[in-house]
Amino acid sequence: MRFTRTKAIIIAAAAALLSAGLLIAATFALFSDSVKTVNHLQAGTLDVSLYKISETGVIADGNGIIPATAQTEDYSSSPIDLEASDASVFSLGNCVPGVWQEVTLQIVNNGTVAFDYSVSLVVTSELTGSAALLAEQLMVTVSDADGNAVVPAFSLAVAQERGEIALGSLTEANAASEFKVKVELPANESVLDSGAEGSTIMGAQVDFDISVKAQQKTEQA
Amino acid sequence: MKTKKMAVLSAALIIVLCAVVIVGATFALFGKKIDKSVTVTTGDVSISAEFGASPVLYSLVDGVQQKLSGESGNTFYLGGEASLDQDTGVLSLTGIIPGDKAEISLTIKNTSSVAIKYCVAANVTGSLASDAENGVIVNTGIESGTGYSWEEIAVQGEVTVTISVELPKAAEQIADGSCEVDFTIYAGQSNASDEDLETLFGLN
């Protein structure tokens, strides 16, 4: 009788100890796993290039001779990088009524960020006297690659009011798009002589900036 | 209560911070702008015209029109006279008879910045102008006869034309016939059509 009770107690104690051990062991024997990930955060780049692909028009040559028909220069095989400091967009010296020039420009997405692009013209010379008269008569047309006007032609005198003219978007790297800008002095008004200072457009000058802007594309709500 | 206050304060602070981020994010777009300067200048059309010193005279001598020597001055063979006003460009012929002719040279210089077209027009007044058959004939050196004829001159170029005013040999003599001829030189940009230039100057 005594043996059986003692045995039972011992066995019970051992069982209790074992259970405790199991519990303790089990407490730390949970299934577990871990995955380590490495995250790289890198900013995109917005970088564009602007090239002149061609120019066409009726402009006076170095001898003051104005051709009867439009002359075209094609630079598509070697586009002119307009970011270069000495590259000009237009050659509009010695103009007379009837003279015009249209350039085809190409914008290229050299970066990784999609962007919207636009063009604007801002007169930088003082618009008084003959310069003001000339700015009123100079007509600007902005067209897409197919020659369709993006906006109605407007005079240089109101270019600043016109503001930025939206042209489109480039969403992929290395994508390119073309557009045209034309400046014309229409043969609307005959000028018989240079007249008093500032009274006609003979011997006049007007300066303006043409800007092409690319801005990160945002989704409209 | 204190806990509630803290919670409200924290929430407000979070809202303010979010607003700052949103406002900051609105202007934080990538962009690039390429600017190019353009200068537009216009040319001008201007000419200078200068007549020769004095007319060269011709008269009929023994029925044949001959050039008179310089010794005759401004007097035709039988006494008529020719005079040229250098300032106004008016040639005056008085007392001339059939066969008398005066020639003057006119040098036109293109002082424009572009190539031009020019035309010399003559206007005759006086008794010798009124009769188409018996009046003087003016040859402006470009094209004899009627109409206007335009010729080109390069930038800084010049041309000298010889203009003649003649009472034809077959004309009936008009007593005390006289006339004045004034000349006008018109010039316009060379790429204009003749018709447009004539419209510009009211010649058609």
Short mmCIF file of all heavy atoms in Angstrom, two decimals, chain A residues 145-198:
data_model
loop_
_atom_site.label_atom_id
_atom_site.label_comp_id
_atom_site.label_asym_id
_atom_site.label_seq_id
_atom_site.Cartn_x
_atom_site.Cartn_y
_atom_site.Cartn_z
N ALA A 145 2.60 68.52 -85.54
CA ALA A 145 3.52 67.98 -86.54
C ALA A 145 2.89 67.91 -87.93
O ALA A 145 3.59 67.96 -88.94
CB ALA A 145 4.01 66.61 -86.11
N ASP A 146 1.57 67.83 -87.97
CA ASP A 146 0.88 67.73 -89.26
C ASP A 146 0.51 69.09 -89.83
O ASP A 146 -0.13 69.16 -90.88
CB ASP A 146 -0.40 66.88 -89.10
CG ASP A 146 -0.07 65.45 -88.71
OD1 ASP A 146 0.95 64.94 -89.19
OD2 ASP A 146 -0.83 64.87 -87.89
N GLY A 147 0.88 70.15 -89.12
CA GLY A 147 0.59 71.48 -89.61
C GLY A 147 -0.77 72.01 -89.21
O GLY A 147 -1.19 73.06 -89.69
N ASN A 148 -1.47 71.33 -88.32
CA ASN A 148 -2.77 71.81 -87.84
C ASN A 148 -2.55 72.80 -86.71
O ASN A 148 -1.87 72.49 -85.73
CB ASN A 148 -3.63 70.64 -87.35
CG ASN A 148 -3.81 69.59 -88.43
OD1 ASN A 148 -4.20 69.90 -89.56
ND2 ASN A 148 -3.54 68.33 -88.10
N ALA A 149 -3.11 73.97 -86.84
CA ALA A 149 -2.91 75.00 -85.83
C ALA A 149 -3.46 74.54 -84.49
O ALA A 149 -4.59 74.07 -84.40
CB ALA A 149 -3.59 76.30 -86.26
N VAL A 150 -2.64 74.71 -83.46
CA VAL A 150 -3.06 74.34 -82.11
C VAL A 150 -3.97 75.41 -81.54
O VAL A 150 -4.94 75.12 -80.82
CB VAL A 150 -1.81 74.14 -81.23
CG1 VAL A 150 -2.19 73.88 -79.79
CG2 VAL A 150 -0.94 73.02 -81.78
N VAL A 151 -3.64 76.66 -81.86
CA VAL A 151 -4.47 77.80 -81.48
C VAL A 151 -4.54 78.72 -82.70
O VAL A 151 -3.67 78.65 -83.57
CB VAL A 151 -3.90 78.57 -80.26
CG1 VAL A 151 -3.92 77.73 -79.01
CG2 VAL A 151 -2.48 79.06 -80.56
N PRO A 152 -5.54 79.59 -82.79
CA PRO A 152 -5.58 80.52 -83.92
C PRO A 152 -4.34 81.41 -83.92
O PRO A 152 -3.79 81.72 -82.87
CB PRO A 152 -6.85 81.34 -83.64
CG PRO A 152 -7.68 80.48 -82.76
CD PRO A 152 -6.73 79.71 -81.91
N ALA A 153 -3.90 81.81 -85.12
CA ALA A 153 -2.73 82.69 -85.23
C ALA A 153 -2.96 83.96 -84.42
O ALA A 153 -4.08 84.47 -84.35
CB ALA A 153 -2.46 83.03 -86.69
N PHE A 154 -1.89 84.46 -83.80
CA PHE A 154 -2.02 85.66 -82.98
C PHE A 154 -0.83 86.57 -83.25
O PHE A 154 0.21 86.13 -83.72
CB PHE A 154 -2.08 85.29 -81.49
CG PHE A 154 -0.92 84.46 -81.00
CD1 PHE A 154 0.21 85.07 -80.45
CD2 PHE A 154 -0.94 83.08 -81.10
CE1 PHE A 154 1.28 84.30 -80.00
CE2 PHE A 154 0.12 82.31 -80.65
CZ PHE A 154 1.23 82.93 -80.11
N SER A 155 -1.01 87.86 -82.96
CA SER A 155 0.09 88.79 -83.20
C SER A 155 1.07 88.73 -82.04
O SER A 155 0.69 88.44 -80.90
CB SER A 155 -0.42 90.21 -83.41
OG SER A 155 -0.56 90.89 -82.19
N LEU A 156 2.31 89.03 -82.33
CA LEU A 156 3.34 88.99 -81.31
C LEU A 156 3.01 89.96 -80.17
O LEU A 156 3.39 89.73 -79.03
CB LEU A 156 4.70 89.33 -81.92
CG LEU A 156 5.92 89.14 -81.03
CD1 LEU A 156 6.08 87.69 -80.62
CD2 LEU A 156 7.18 89.62 -81.74
N ALA A 157 2.29 91.01 -80.49
CA ALA A 157 1.96 92.01 -79.48
C ALA A 157 1.12 91.42 -78.34
O ALA A 157 1.15 91.93 -77.23
CB ALA A 157 1.23 93.19 -80.12
N VAL A 158 0.37 90.36 -78.62
CA VAL A 158 -0.48 89.78 -77.57
C VAL A 158 0.04 88.42 -77.11
O VAL A 158 -0.67 87.66 -76.44
CB VAL A 158 -1.95 89.64 -78.05
CG1 VAL A 158 -2.50 91.01 -78.40
CG2 VAL A 158 -2.06 88.68 -79.22
N ALA A 159 1.27 88.10 -77.46
CA ALA A 159 1.82 86.78 -77.12
C ALA A 159 1.84 86.55 -75.63
O ALA A 159 1.58 85.44 -75.14
CB ALA A 159 3.22 86.65 -77.70
N GLN A 160 2.16 87.61 -74.87
CA GLN A 160 2.27 87.43 -73.43
C GLN A 160 0.92 87.11 -72.82
O GLN A 160 0.81 86.30 -71.90
CB GLN A 160 2.86 88.69 -72.80
CG GLN A 160 3.45 88.47 -71.43
CD GLN A 160 4.67 89.33 -71.21
OE1 GLN A 160 5.18 89.97 -72.12
NE2 GLN A 160 5.16 89.37 -69.99
N GLU A 161 -0.12 87.75 -73.35
CA GLU A 161 -1.47 87.46 -72.87
C GLU A 161 -1.86 86.02 -73.20
O GLU A 161 -2.58 85.37 -72.46
CB GLU A 161 -2.48 88.41 -73.52
CG GLU A 161 -2.29 89.86 -73.17
CD GLU A 161 -3.13 90.77 -74.05
OE1 GLU A 161 -4.16 90.30 -74.57
OE2 GLU A 161 -2.73 91.92 -74.24
N ARG A 162 -1.40 85.55 -74.33
CA ARG A 162 -1.70 84.19 -74.76
C ARG A 162 -1.17 83.17 -73.75
O ARG A 162 -1.78 82.14 -73.52
CB ARG A 162 -1.11 83.96 -76.15
CG ARG A 162 -1.20 82.57 -76.70
CD ARG A 162 -2.60 82.14 -76.94
NE ARG A 162 -3.26 82.98 -77.94
CZ ARG A 162 -4.48 82.77 -78.41
NH1 ARG A 162 -5.18 81.75 -77.96
NH2 ARG A 162 -5.01 83.57 -79.31
N GLY A 163 -0.01 83.48 -73.19
CA GLY A 163 0.55 82.58 -72.18
C GLY A 163 1.08 81.30 -72.78
O GLY A 163 1.45 81.24 -73.95
N GLU A 164 1.13 80.25 -71.96
CA GLU A 164 1.65 78.96 -72.40
C GLU A 164 0.62 78.24 -73.28
O GLU A 164 -0.55 78.16 -72.93
CB GLU A 164 1.98 78.09 -71.19
CG GLU A 164 3.12 78.63 -70.35
CD GLU A 164 3.40 77.77 -69.13
OE1 GLU A 164 2.80 76.70 -69.01
OE2 GLU A 164 4.21 78.18 -68.29
N ILE A 165 1.11 77.73 -74.38
CA ILE A 165 0.25 76.98 -75.30
C ILE A 165 0.56 75.50 -75.12
O ILE A 165 1.67 75.05 -75.45
CB ILE A 165 0.50 77.42 -76.75
CG1 ILE A 165 0.21 78.92 -76.89
CG2 ILE A 165 -0.33 76.62 -77.73
CD1 ILE A 165 0.70 79.53 -78.18
N ALA A 166 -0.40 74.76 -74.60
CA ALA A 166 -0.18 73.33 -74.35
C ALA A 166 -0.05 72.58 -75.66
O ALA A 166 -0.84 72.78 -76.59
CB ALA A 166 -1.34 72.77 -73.53
N LEU A 167 0.96 71.72 -75.72
CA LEU A 167 1.22 71.00 -76.96
C LEU A 167 1.01 69.49 -76.83
O LEU A 167 0.74 68.83 -77.83
CB LEU A 167 2.66 71.27 -77.42
CG LEU A 167 2.94 72.72 -77.83
CD1 LEU A 167 4.43 72.94 -78.03
CD2 LEU A 167 2.19 73.06 -79.11
N GLY A 168 1.18 68.94 -75.63
CA GLY A 168 0.99 67.50 -75.49
C GLY A 168 1.78 66.94 -74.35
O GLY A 168 2.21 67.67 -73.45
N SER A 169 1.98 65.62 -74.38
CA SER A 169 2.68 64.93 -73.32
C SER A 169 3.64 63.91 -73.91
O SER A 169 3.41 63.38 -75.01
CB SER A 169 1.69 64.18 -72.42
OG SER A 169 0.68 65.03 -71.94
N LEU A 170 4.69 63.66 -73.16
CA LEU A 170 5.58 62.54 -73.48
C LEU A 170 5.65 61.68 -72.24
O LEU A 170 6.08 62.16 -71.18
CB LEU A 170 6.97 63.04 -73.89
CG LEU A 170 7.09 63.67 -75.28
CD1 LEU A 170 8.51 64.14 -75.54
CD2 LEU A 170 6.65 62.70 -76.37
N THR A 171 5.18 60.46 -72.33
CA THR A 171 5.07 59.64 -71.13
C THR A 171 6.14 58.58 -71.01
O THR A 171 6.30 57.99 -69.93
CB THR A 171 3.68 58.94 -71.10
OG1 THR A 171 3.54 58.17 -72.31
CG2 THR A 171 2.57 59.96 -71.03
N GLU A 172 6.88 58.34 -72.05
CA GLU A 172 7.87 57.26 -71.97
C GLU A 172 9.27 57.80 -72.22
O GLU A 172 9.45 58.79 -72.93
CB GLU A 172 7.55 56.18 -73.01
CG GLU A 172 6.21 55.49 -72.74
CD GLU A 172 5.93 54.41 -73.74
OE1 GLU A 172 6.80 54.11 -74.58
OE2 GLU A 172 4.81 53.85 -73.69
N ALA A 173 10.22 57.11 -71.67
CA ALA A 173 11.61 57.49 -71.88
C ALA A 173 11.95 57.36 -73.36
O ALA A 173 11.48 56.46 -74.04
CB ALA A 173 12.53 56.59 -71.04
N ASN A 174 12.73 58.31 -73.83
CA ASN A 174 13.20 58.36 -75.22
C ASN A 174 12.10 58.64 -76.23
O ASN A 174 12.35 58.61 -77.44
CB ASN A 174 13.93 57.06 -75.61
CG ASN A 174 15.14 56.79 -74.74
OD1 ASN A 174 15.92 57.71 -74.46
ND2 ASN A 174 15.27 55.56 -74.28
N ALA A 175 10.89 58.94 -75.75
CA ALA A 175 9.83 59.32 -76.69
C ALA A 175 10.12 60.72 -77.22
O ALA A 175 10.77 61.53 -76.58
CB ALA A 175 8.47 59.28 -75.99
N ALA A 176 9.63 61.00 -78.44
CA ALA A 176 9.86 62.30 -79.06
C ALA A 176 8.59 62.77 -79.74
O ALA A 176 7.75 61.96 -80.13
CB ALA A 176 11.01 62.22 -80.07
N SER A 177 8.47 64.08 -79.88
CA SER A 177 7.31 64.64 -80.56
C SER A 177 7.72 65.92 -81.27
O SER A 177 8.66 66.59 -80.84
CB SER A 177 6.20 64.93 -79.54
OG SER A 177 5.06 65.44 -80.18
N GLU A 178 7.03 66.26 -82.34
CA GLU A 178 7.38 67.46 -83.12
C GLU A 178 6.23 68.45 -83.11
O GLU A 178 5.05 68.07 -83.00
CB GLU A 178 7.71 67.08 -84.56
CG GLU A 178 8.95 66.21 -84.69
CD GLU A 178 9.27 65.81 -86.12
OE1 GLU A 178 8.59 66.29 -87.04
OE2 GLU A 178 10.20 65.02 -86.29
N PHE A 179 6.58 69.72 -83.26
CA PHE A 179 5.59 70.77 -83.42
C PHE A 179 6.23 71.89 -84.25
O PHE A 179 7.44 71.90 -84.46
CB PHE A 179 5.09 71.29 -82.06
CG PHE A 179 6.15 71.88 -81.19
CD1 PHE A 179 6.37 73.26 -81.15
CD2 PHE A 179 6.94 71.06 -80.39
CE1 PHE A 179 7.35 73.80 -80.33
CE2 PHE A 179 7.92 71.60 -79.57
CZ PHE A 179 8.13 72.97 -79.55
N LYS A 180 5.39 72.80 -84.74
CA LYS A 180 5.89 73.86 -85.62
C LYS A 180 5.52 75.22 -85.06
O LYS A 180 4.45 75.40 -84.46
CB LYS A 180 5.26 73.74 -87.02
CG LYS A 180 5.54 72.42 -87.73
CD LYS A 180 4.73 72.34 -89.03
CE LYS A 180 4.78 70.96 -89.66
NZ LYS A 180 6.08 70.69 -90.30
N VAL A 181 6.41 76.17 -85.30
CA VAL A 181 6.14 77.56 -84.94
C VAL A 181 6.47 78.42 -86.16
O VAL A 181 7.54 78.29 -86.75
CB VAL A 181 6.97 78.04 -83.72
CG1 VAL A 181 6.60 79.47 -83.36
CG2 VAL A 181 6.75 77.11 -82.55
N LYS A 182 5.55 79.28 -86.53
CA LYS A 182 5.73 80.14 -87.72
C LYS A 182 5.59 81.60 -87.32
O LYS A 182 4.70 81.96 -86.56
CB LYS A 182 4.66 79.79 -88.76
CG LYS A 182 4.69 80.65 -90.02
CD LYS A 182 3.55 80.24 -90.96
CE LYS A 182 3.52 81.08 -92.22
NZ LYS A 182 2.39 80.70 -93.10
N VAL A 183 6.50 82.41 -87.84
CA VAL A 183 6.43 83.86 -87.64
C VAL A 183 6.36 84.50 -89.02
O VAL A 183 7.16 84.18 -89.89
CB VAL A 183 7.65 84.39 -86.85
CG1 VAL A 183 7.57 85.91 -86.70
CG2 VAL A 183 7.73 83.73 -85.49
N GLU A 184 5.42 85.40 -89.20
CA GLU A 184 5.18 85.99 -90.52
C GLU A 184 4.93 87.48 -90.41
O GLU A 184 4.28 87.95 -89.47
CB GLU A 184 3.97 85.31 -91.16
CG GLU A 184 3.59 85.85 -92.53
CD GLU A 184 2.40 85.12 -93.14
OE1 GLU A 184 1.72 84.37 -92.42
OE2 GLU A 184 2.16 85.31 -94.34
N LEU A 185 5.46 88.22 -91.37
CA LEU A 185 5.11 89.63 -91.53
C LEU A 185 4.23 89.71 -92.78
O LEU A 185 4.73 89.79 -93.89
CB LEU A 185 6.36 90.50 -91.69
CG LEU A 185 6.13 92.01 -91.81
CD1 LEU A 185 5.42 92.56 -90.58
CD2 LEU A 185 7.45 92.73 -92.02
N PRO A 186 2.93 89.63 -92.60
CA PRO A 186 2.04 89.55 -93.77
C PRO A 186 2.12 90.81 -94.62
O PRO A 186 2.42 91.90 -94.12
CB PRO A 186 0.64 89.41 -93.13
CG PRO A 186 0.87 89.04 -91.71
CD PRO A 186 2.20 89.63 -91.34
N ALA A 187 1.85 90.63 -95.89
CA ALA A 187 1.84 91.78 -96.80
C ALA A 187 0.49 92.45 -96.76
O ALA A 187 -0.20 92.58 -97.77
CB ALA A 187 2.18 91.33 -98.21
N ASN A 188 0.08 92.86 -95.55
CA ASN A 188 -1.23 93.47 -95.37
C ASN A 188 -1.21 94.97 -95.61
O ASN A 188 -2.20 95.56 -95.99
CB ASN A 188 -1.74 93.22 -93.94
CG ASN A 188 -2.05 91.77 -93.72
OD1 ASN A 188 -2.34 91.04 -94.66
ND2 ASN A 188 -1.96 91.32 -92.49
N GLU A 189 -0.07 95.54 -95.29
CA GLU A 189 -0.04 97.00 -95.28
C GLU A 189 1.20 97.48 -96.02
O GLU A 189 2.31 97.07 -95.70
CB GLU A 189 0.02 97.47 -93.82
CG GLU A 189 -0.13 98.95 -93.61
CD GLU A 189 -0.15 99.29 -92.13
OE1 GLU A 189 -0.96 98.71 -91.39
OE2 GLU A 189 0.65 100.13 -91.71
N SER A 190 1.01 98.30 -97.01
CA SER A 190 2.14 98.84 -97.75
C SER A 190 2.75 100.01 -96.99
O SER A 190 2.04 100.81 -96.38
CB SER A 190 1.70 99.30 -99.14
OG SER A 190 1.29 98.19 -99.91
N VAL A 191 4.03 100.10 -97.04
CA VAL A 191 4.73 101.20 -96.39
C VAL A 191 5.52 101.92 -97.47
O VAL A 191 6.40 101.33 -98.10
CB VAL A 191 5.68 100.68 -95.29
CG1 VAL A 191 6.38 101.84 -94.61
CG2 VAL A 191 4.93 99.83 -94.30
N LEU A 192 5.19 103.18 -97.72
CA LEU A 192 5.80 103.88 -98.84
C LEU A 192 7.19 104.40 -98.52
O LEU A 192 8.03 104.47 -99.39
CB LEU A 192 4.90 105.03 -99.30
CG LEU A 192 3.72 104.61 -100.18
CD1 LEU A 192 2.87 105.81 -100.54
CD2 LEU A 192 4.21 103.92 -101.43
N ASP A 193 7.39 104.83 -97.31
CA ASP A 193 8.72 105.29 -96.93
C ASP A 193 8.88 105.18 -95.43
O ASP A 193 7.91 104.89 -94.72
CB ASP A 193 8.99 106.72 -97.42
CG ASP A 193 7.92 107.70 -96.93
OD1 ASP A 193 7.65 107.72 -95.71
OD2 ASP A 193 7.36 108.42 -97.77
N SER A 194 10.08 105.42 -94.98
CA SER A 194 10.35 105.22 -93.56
C SER A 194 9.70 106.27 -92.69
O SER A 194 9.54 106.07 -91.50
CB SER A 194 11.86 105.20 -93.31
OG SER A 194 12.44 106.41 -93.76
N GLY A 195 9.33 107.39 -93.24
CA GLY A 195 8.59 108.38 -92.49
C GLY A 195 9.34 108.91 -91.28
O GLY A 195 10.55 108.74 -91.14
N ALA A 196 8.61 109.52 -90.39
CA ALA A 196 9.21 110.06 -89.16
C ALA A 196 9.62 108.89 -88.27
O ALA A 196 9.12 107.78 -88.41
CB ALA A 196 8.19 110.94 -88.44
N GLU A 197 10.52 109.17 -87.37
CA GLU A 197 11.03 108.15 -86.46
C GLU A 197 9.90 107.41 -85.77
O GLU A 197 9.04 108.01 -85.12
CB GLU A 197 11.92 108.83 -85.40
CG GLU A 197 12.54 107.87 -84.39
CD GLU A 197 13.61 106.99 -84.99
OE1 GLU A 197 14.21 107.40 -85.99
OE2 GLU A 197 13.83 105.89 -84.47
N GLY A 198 9.87 106.10 -85.94
CA GLY A 198 8.87 105.30 -85.25
C GLY A 198 7.50 105.31 -85.87
O GLY A 198 6.56 104.77 -85.30
#
